[in-house]
Amino acid sequence: MSQLPDQATLQRLLEIATEAALAGAAVVRSFLGKIEAEEKGRSGDLVTAADRASETATIEVLSRHCPQIPILAEESGAIGGTQNSDYLWAIDPLDGTTNFAHQYPFFAVSIGLLFQGQPIVGVVADPERGELFRAAKGLGATRDRIPMRVSRTDQLSRSLLVTGFAYDRRDTNDTNYPEFCYLTHLTQGVRRGGSASIDLAYVACGRLDGYWERGLSLWDIAAGIVLVQEAGGQVSAYDGSPVNPSSGRLVATNGHLHNQLCAALATVPKLDLWHQPPTTWPKVGQ
């Protein structure tokens, strides 16, 4: 098994990811307010010319600097021999396309690099606010190149959380609708931003205390996982076990309330209990 890249190499890869994310963000900004979206197949799963143009720009940067590293991109799919490399770029050229198409200002460009299946470099660029979130394994995390840390909230009852709803939510009972309602009852609030990469970036910088979601793709979360971990937070599977970035679901928190959130998710009432008043719902740990 190959060894993790040294810090000098990680720094160089972080700068490459940053260049790619900023190139994509510049393209996205150029499309603001003048775009029409189309559905890719599933209801609500949109794509725009901005997605495609941003992806072209990010791929050009990554391929120019690292032609030997394969790429997994949301719109183009796999590029290069993904089976023969320890590395993989996972890129979302416009995370939050539905928001973007409706001119709702919550979307980003996300560039993540995995080594042997685990994220080691992450950059999230917000074209609307001009914010830049960066991290690399062992090098810490920054917002606009200033070190950032997760929040210190240590009680679920005092927390502000965020989640999202997958495109297949209309077709499956495996949704987080019950979790959203239950955790709204247990916390100071649960938000639904519509961009997983920004959700994770906000956990990393302390604006949010925790995040969970299912139905995710690797390009949605690869960068954000590194941001949270390097900012002092914790990322896991729903049951607290090590996260599999390809599983499509994860829990990310400031670490202080991670066990509480995982426990709450494990005790969420079933859908057939929704007709009962909140006072009859089980409490965390029951």
Side-chain angles (χ1 to χ4, degrees):
M1 180 177 291
S2 302
Q3 291 185 337
L4 187 71
D6 59 33
Q7 290 197 341
T9 300
L10 281 167
Q11 184 65 50
R12 181 177 66 84
L13 291 166
L14 177 60
E15 297 303 332
I16 292 169
T18 301
E19 181 183 342
L22 291 176
V27 170
V28 171
R29 276 196 301 274
S30 73
F31 280 91
L32 284 171
K34 46 186 176 183
I35 201 70
E36 292 186 3
E38 60 187 72
E39 289 191 343
K40 290 192 285 187
R42 294 177 297 183
S43 180
D45 189 3
L46 304 182
V47 64
T48 69
D51 293 77
R52 299 187 178 102
S54 173
E55 186 163 289
T56 297
T58 58
I59 289 173
E60 188 281 325
V61 173
L62 298 177
S63 298
R64 172 162 42 87
H65 288 290
C66 305
Q68 75 283 9
I69 298 181
I71 297 170
L72 178 64
E74 180 174 13
E75 308 307 333
S76 303
I79 302 171
T82 59
Q83 302 300 318
N84 301 316
S85 176
D86 284 333
Y87 295 90
L88 176 68
W89 291 112
I91 66 175
D92 192 334
L94 180 47
D95 182 25
T97 300
T98 301
N99 289 344
F100 177 79
H102 289 271
Q103 300 186 54
Y104 183 77
F106 200 83
F107 44 83
V109 178
S110 178
I111 309 288
L113 177 65
L114 295 95
F115 177 75
Q116 296 179 349
Q118 294 301 312
I120 60 169
V121 169
V123 177
V124 173
D126 181 341
E128 182 72 25
R129 294 169 186 79
E131 289 188 314
L132 180 66
F133 302 88
R134 310 195 320 151
K137 191 172 181 62
L139 299 182
T142 63
R143 177 176 66 87
D144 295 336
R145 303 182 188 272
I146 299 171
M148 65 180 180
R149 297 293 292 179
V150 294
S151 70
R152 297 181 178 179
T153 305
D154 60 3
Q155 296 296 322
L156 201 57
S157 62
R158 298 178 180 176
S159 68
L160 181 64
L161 307 180
V162 68
T163 190
F165 304 114
Y167 294 120
D168 65 356
R169 59 189 179 273
R170 301 174 181 86
D171 307 314
T172 178
N173 288 327
D174 181 20
T175 75
N176 49 351
Y177 291 153
E179 298 160 358
F180 180 89
C181 293
Y182 186 48
L183 284 161
T184 297
H185 179 66
L186 292 179
T187 65
Q188 291 187 345
V190 179
R191 303 292 181 252
R192 197 273 179 153
S195 171
S197 63
I198 295 187
D199 290 340
L200 287 162
Y202 280 14
V203 172
C205 74
R207 291 173 180 165
L208 295 165
D209 304 305
Y211 164 72
W212 85 98
E213 193 171 346
R214 59 162 295 279
L216 297 160
S217 296
L218 187 59
W219 50 72
D220 294 319
I221 59 175
I225 287 174
V226 190
L227 293 175
V228 173
Q229 290 175 334
E230 288 300 309
Q234 185 174 350
V235 182
S236 77
Y238 274 32
D239 63 1
S241 62
V243 65
N244 174 1
S246 299
S247 68
R249 63 181 69 205
L250 83 168
V251 178
T253 74
N254 61 10
H256 303 297
L257 48 74
H258 199 87
N259 291 341
Q260 295 174 55
L261 180 52
C262 289
L265 291 171
T267 57
V268 172
K270 301 299 182 183
L271 286 173
D272 58 4
L273 292 178
W274 276 27
H275 68 282
Q276 298 182 14
T279 54
T280 68
W281 289 1
K283 305 301 182 185
V284 175
Q286 291 185 348

